[in-house]
Amino acid sequence: MGKIIAIANQKGGVGKTTTAINLGAALGVLEKKVLLIDADPQANATSGLGIDVNSAKYGTYQLLEHSIKVKDAILHTQSPNLDLIPSHIDLVASEIELVDKKSREYMLKKALVPIKDEYDYILIDCAPSLGLITLNSLVAADAVIIPIQCEYFALEGLGKLLNTIKSVQKLHNKELDIEGLLLTMYDTRLRLSNQVVEEVKKHFGKMVFKTIIQRNIRLSEAPSFGEDIISYDASSRGAKSYLSLGGEIIKRIK
């Protein structure tokens, strides 16, 4: 049975989409079948994998509306073993349109039932908010990865996200687990980066992934070419980091 992992943090710019794309690609290279769901109206995961946002006929919006079958929304990407359900700016409308629907928090969970067993991992790239779309993602997920950037305001807002996860566990999804906290944008030259790493490890211990994603120019360049980091530059530090993270996640399941 496939494992659904939401990648969530309501703070923007923490490396959520970078992680979603490149972890998906890394798991694919490690011979796992992966589906990435772009649940962010900005659609960066979609364009970052070389898919033209405006040419995709169906995506996460139609999936949440239950107006299509999930298989109709799945696109193959150029990355081995990695499929995508794209996003579009239209997804913003779901926040309003779902409000008065019955079981509105369960729309994504129900939509994914037919394909859950067809993938080893289903990754959800959440929007940088704690709205109804992110709530749907957390209700559908088995676990959450929380990216935290190694910068000054790293822990700001984390308490709010953890409280949201607790309330989802209590009200909608008792099985929801925290897969781990992922430290991103680490710069070895900065004392601050090292302080943030120490602080996060002190507070959260074993919840923190051993893999730390370092700042890497190749990692920043890859999306502008519509490629994941492994396709773009497999020898780069960024590619090695995400392959290491993929290996960590696979080991946790065994």
Side-chain angles (χ1 to χ4, degrees):
M1 191 184 245
K3 183 169 189 177
I4 302 178
I5 302 175
I7 299 166
N9 191 328
Q10 78 273 25
K11 270 173 74 68
V14 298
K16 257 193 319 292
T17 300
T18 301
T19 295
I21 292 172
N22 296 311
L23 174 58
L27 289 167
V29 166
L30 295 167
E31 298 185 341
K32 299 294 177 186
K33 198 159 187 284
V34 185
L35 173 65
L36 172 57
I37 300 171
D38 191 346
D40 183 348
Q42 294 174 83
N44 291 335
T46 302
S47 58
L49 280 169
I51 306 288
D52 178 5
V53 173
N54 295 311
S55 71
K57 194 177 176 188
Y58 301 124
T60 313
Y61 173 69
Q62 288 81 7
L63 205 58
L64 284 166
E65 295 287 315
H66 287 191
S67 60
I68 55 159
K69 288 179 179 170
V70 63
K71 288 189 177 178
D72 296 335
I74 295 172
L75 302 175
H76 299 299
T77 73
Q78 292 172 350
S79 305
N81 298 317
L82 178 61
D83 289 346
L84 172 77
I85 293 180
S87 181
H88 189 273
I89 192 65
D90 288 356
L91 186 57
V92 169
S94 291
E95 291 283 356
I96 301 155
E97 290 168 12
L98 290 176
V99 165
D100 55 359
K101 290 205 175 176
K102 196 180 171 188
S103 303
R104 59 180 184 253
E105 301 92 351
Y106 297 89
M107 293 305 211
L108 186 57
K109 186 182 176 85
K110 286 176 185 167
L112 295 178
V113 169
I115 54 140
K116 190 172 179 187
D117 294 343
E118 293 181 21
Y119 291 92
D120 296 302
Y121 294 95
I122 297 175
L123 304 179
I124 308 173
D125 182 28
C126 296
S129 74
L130 294 177
L132 206 41
I133 301 167
T134 299
L135 182 57
N136 261 272
S137 303
L138 294 174
V139 172
D142 301 305
V144 193
I145 290 174
I146 304 171
I148 298 173
Q149 82 277 42
C150 298
E151 288 173 8
Y152 185 67
F153 292 115
L155 299 175
E156 192 183 69
L158 186 58
K160 197 174 177 187
L161 177 60
L162 293 172
N163 284 337
T164 300
I165 291 167
K166 270 184 197 163
S167 81
V168 170
Q169 286 167 329
K170 196 173 168 185
L171 298 170
H172 307 293
N173 183 1
K174 286 183 185 132
E175 310 302 313
L176 184 64
D177 200 4
I178 294 177
E179 185 76 13
L181 277 66
L182 176 67
L183 290 156
T184 63
M185 303 180 189
Y186 176 71
D187 189 334
T188 47
R189 298 164 302 174
L190 297 180
R191 208 167 105 209
L192 177 63
S193 279
N194 294 306
Q195 285 172 343
V196 171
V197 170
E198 282 171 32
E199 193 75 9
V200 172
K201 285 185 173 174
K202 189 172 87 182
H203 278 85
F204 298 101
K206 288 183 180 174
M207 284 169 69
V208 185
F209 284 107
K210 288 190 181 82
T211 303
I212 295 176
I213 310 299
Q214 296 191 17
R215 278 196 183 278
N216 180 245
I217 288 170
R218 307 298 273 168
L219 210 47
S220 308
E221 287 173 352
S224 61
F225 292 90
E227 290 184 349
D228 63 83
I229 187 61
I230 298 164
S231 305
Y232 183 63
D233 185 353
S235 64
S236 68
R237 187 183 285 161
K240 287 170 185 169
S241 294
Y242 278 106
L243 284 164
S244 164
L245 178 64
E248 246 189 280
I249 286 168
I250 291 166
K251 275 181 196 160
R252 287 181 176 207
I253 277 191
K254 285 178 182 174

